[in-house]
Every structure is written in C-alpha cells, then in structure tokens.
C-alpha cells in the first residue's frame, strides 16, 4: 500500500512484512497512517523480522542510506551539538540488531551511534577553536584597528563640519572656479554633474570642494551608474538631485548631520569588537569536555 493509496481516515495499524530497499518506501507506507485526517488518536506500527536471516542485512542497507540522505538534506554538520543520525536511522539500526539475534550487535550499534555523536561534537569543538583563533589573531584586531581609525577620522570631520557651519553660504569651488553666490554655485554643481562622462569618472574624479570637503564622483561599469562622495579625513556617500538649491541643502545635511550620527555607531562597534576579543581569548583552547567518554567508547 504505497503511493496513491487513500484510506487514511480509519487506519489503526500498519504491518511491515518486508524491508524495502529505500528509507523513503518505509516513510511512504507510514505516511498512509500518520497523517492528518486519521480519526484514530493513536496508531500502531509493526515491523516483522526473522532472526538469523537476510532481514538484518536489508535493514543495514536502509540504515546506511538514511544516514547518507540525512547528511545531504541537512547540508552541514551541527555547529554546537546534535544527534549524529535522525530518529528514522536509529529505528532501522534497532531493527537490524533485533534481526541479528546477537545482543552484542545492539551494544556495538549503540556504541557506534554514541562514538559518531561524540566525534561530531569533538569536530565542532575543534572547528570552534579554529574560529576563535582566527578571531583573536586576525579578524577582531583588524576590526579594532579599523573602527579606531574610523572614529578618529569621524572626529576630524565633525570638527571640520562645526568650524565651517554658518547661516550664510560660505562659497563652493567647482572645477577651478570659486563661487560665493549660492545660486551660481548650485547651478555650476548641476552643470558639472550633467557634463560628466563615464570615461572621465571611471577611475574617480574630483568635481569640487565645499566647506573643506572634496566632492568626488566615480562611474561603475558594472551598474552603469555614477556614485558621489564627500571626502575629508574619511569619505561619505551622497546622492544629488536636479534642484539648484536642493543639492547644496543635501551637502549641508550630510556634513552637519550624517557624519556626526556615524560617530556613536563606530564607538559601539569598537566596544563590541573589544568585548568579543576578550571573550574569545577566555574560551579558546579549552579542552573537550567529553574527551574521556569519547576515547573510552571508541576503545570499547
């Protein structure tokens, strides 16, 4: 009673007289009875095996296939802890042991499962140590250095923004010409943007300067788009529109607000990286807690 059989509403028991060659076949049979719509709250599943026969080998085949399928379907080993094989794999292994008629096989099977589980945990422990070593020796020191540099640059740019902040227009340089009239400066900026060519901006191009910050543009052949940045100690992305006064307003907002908002974020990231470094140092190279059990069961 496999695929396409629909009599699940009143099924009470399923009897597996033989062992199929695929785990999915057993699952398919059980799927006839363990499913929504069955009016029985509890059901029985019987597996029949004959002692000292080929049944043991058949269930071993199904067990090995189930282990392999489970590994493929989960795609990766557990990071912290998990059972080595799933519930179905254990059921097939138990059936194999029962069919053999030898109690030592069941003990061996249980040991294999335990050793495989401990081996997975030990591998995860070693991988975790390698990850911690990478964090300690490379990533976190690089992060700390990077955020420290960003904080210093950001502080420099915030100071520059504060020193040039004014209610009046302070003037803007576009190309080699300085404009002290706001409207003329905004139009010159707009003209410079509209006259850009991809070949000129492909390696990056400076088109002006405002309040001590360079206005740079770059063209990406990948996206077929221009990107704009203002730059002093560090650089910050900005987008321009088509309004003469609006672009100057965007520059002022970027300089006065955006840069100062980045400073606490950098400081939080630096503190977090330092905390992670201390935590990693405290946990690296710790011995595997279950090594004695692992070695003992593997020896047995």
């Amino acid at each position: 009673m496999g695929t396409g059989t629909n009599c699940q509403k009143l099924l009470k028991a399923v009897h597996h007289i033989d062992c199929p060659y695929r785990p999915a076949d057993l699952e398919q049979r059980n799927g006839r009875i363990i499913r929504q719509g069955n009016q029985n709250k509890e059901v029985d599943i019987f597996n029949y095996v004959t002692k000292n026969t080929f049944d043991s080998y058949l269930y071993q085949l199904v067990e090995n296939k189930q282990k392999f399928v489970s590994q493929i379907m989960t795609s990766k080993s557990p990071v912290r802890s998990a059972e080595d094989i799933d519930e179905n794999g254990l059921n097939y292994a138990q059936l194999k042991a029962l069919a053999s008629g030898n109690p030592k096989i069941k003990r061996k099977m249980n040991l294999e499962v335990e050793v495989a589980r401990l081996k997975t945990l030990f591998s995860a422990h070693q991988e975790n140590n390698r990850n911690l070593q990478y964090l300690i020796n490379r990533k976190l020191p690089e992060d700390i250095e990077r955020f420290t540099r960003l904080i210093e640059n950001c502080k420099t740019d915030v100071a520059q923004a504060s020193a040039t902040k004014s209610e009046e227009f302070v003037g803007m340089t576009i190309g080699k010409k300085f404009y002290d009239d706001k409207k003329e400066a905004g139009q010159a900026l707009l003209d410079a943007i509209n006259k850009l060519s991809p070949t000129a901006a492909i390696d990056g191009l400076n088109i002006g300067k405002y309040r001590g910050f360079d206005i740079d543009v770059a063209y990406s052949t990948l996206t077929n788009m221009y990107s704009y940045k203002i730059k002093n100690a560090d650089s910050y992305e900005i987008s321009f529109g088509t309004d003469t006064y609006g672009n100057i307003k965007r520059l002022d907002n970027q300089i006065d607000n955006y840069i100062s908002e980045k400073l606490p974020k950098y400081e939080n990231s630096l503190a977090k990286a330092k905390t992670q470094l201390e935590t990693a140092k405290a946990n690296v190279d710790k011995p595997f807690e279950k090594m004695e059990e692992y070695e003992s069961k593997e020896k047995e």
Side-chain angles (χ1 to χ4, degrees), residues 98-111:
L98 289 170
S100 70
N102 187 344
K104 289 186 177 181
I105 289 183
K106 181 171 177 59
R107 175 58 180 164
K108 180 175 181 292
M109 178 205 73
N110 290 334
L111 283 170

Side-chain angles (χ1 to χ4, degrees), residues 12 32 51 63 66 74 79 106 117 131 142 155 162 164 172 185 188 190 194 202 232 242 254 278-279 282 297:
K12 178 59 181 172
R32 300 300 96 207
K51 185 177 179 180
E63 175 195 1
Q66 181 63 47
T74 54
V79 177
K106 181 171 177 59
R117 181 181 67 84
N131 291 336
E142 288 178 355
K155 287 180 178 179
S162 298
T164 58
M172 177 187 294
L190 203 56
N194 292 331
I202 197 166
N232 184 37
T242 58
Q254 191 83 345
E278 293 304 314
T279 302
K297 288 185 176 179

Side-chain angles (χ1 to χ4, degrees), residues 9-225:
K9 290 185 178 180
L10 296 172
L11 288 185
K12 178 59 181 172
V14 59
H15 300 260
H16 296 290
I17 304 299
D18 64 348
C19 177
Y21 285 98
R22 296 178 301 181
D25 294 334
L26 275 175
E27 185 178 351
Q28 181 70 42
R29 294 178 188 177
N30 291 335
R32 300 300 96 207
I33 192 169
I34 305 174
R35 63 185 298 167
Q36 286 184 329
N38 192 337
Q39 297 175 17
N40 292 307
K41 293 183 178 180
E42 293 185 359
V43 297
D44 296 313
I45 297 177
F46 297 94
N47 292 83
Y48 296 91
V49 293
T50 304
K51 185 177 179 180
N52 298 324
T53 67
F54 197 63
D55 286 350
S56 177
Y57 177 72
L58 288 176
Y59 275 108
Q60 182 175 343
L61 286 178
V62 173
E63 175 195 1
N64 290 336
K65 289 175 183 178
Q66 181 63 47
K67 289 179 183 178
F68 175 75
V69 170
S70 296
Q71 291 174 23
I72 296 299
M73 296 303 289
T74 54
S75 79
K76 60 181 181 179
S77 298
V79 177
R80 295 296 180 187
S81 63
E83 294 300 323
D84 179 58
I85 48 180
D86 65 11
E87 183 180 356
N88 288 334
L90 288 173
N91 286 338
Y92 303 149
Q94 290 166 349
L95 288 166
K96 176 190 72 176
L98 289 170
S100 70
N102 187 344
K104 289 186 177 181
I105 289 183
K106 181 171 177 59
R107 175 58 180 164
K108 180 175 181 292
M109 178 205 73
N110 290 334
L111 283 170
E112 285 177 346
V113 171
E114 281 296 303
V115 168
R117 181 181 67 84
L118 291 167
K119 184 178 181 180
T120 301
L121 292 175
F122 182 54
S123 297
H125 173 79
Q126 291 179 309
E127 179 66 21
N128 185 55
N129 267 337
R130 285 191 291 268
N131 291 336
L132 290 175
Q133 290 285 3
Y134 168 72
L135 290 175
I136 293 169
N137 297 325
R138 184 173 177 179
K139 186 180 185 305
L140 290 175
E142 288 178 355
D143 287 347
I144 290 171
E145 181 183 354
R146 179 166 60 90
F147 287 122
T148 301
R149 184 178 66 254
L150 287 171
I151 289 170
E152 293 303 316
N153 290 343
C154 197
K155 287 180 178 179
T156 300
D157 291 339
V158 168
Q160 177 66 27
S162 298
T164 58
K165 189 172 184 177
S166 172
E167 295 294 332
E168 303 295 330
F169 181 63
V170 298
M172 177 187 294
T173 300
I174 299 297
K176 296 181 180 180
K177 186 175 180 180
F178 179 79
Y179 296 86
D180 55 11
D181 181 77
K182 190 174 185 179
K183 183 177 180 181
E184 291 180 0
Q187 187 60 49
L189 174 60
L190 203 56
D191 291 341
I193 292 171
N194 292 331
K195 291 177 182 178
L196 284 170
S197 67
T199 52
I202 197 166
D203 293 324
L205 178 69
N206 176 263
I207 60 174
K209 195 177 187 72
Y210 180 58
R211 293 177 58 183
F213 290 82
D214 290 321
I215 305 171
D216 293 348
V217 61
Y219 176 78
S220 170
T221 55
L222 183 64
T223 62
N224 195 30
M225 294 176 64

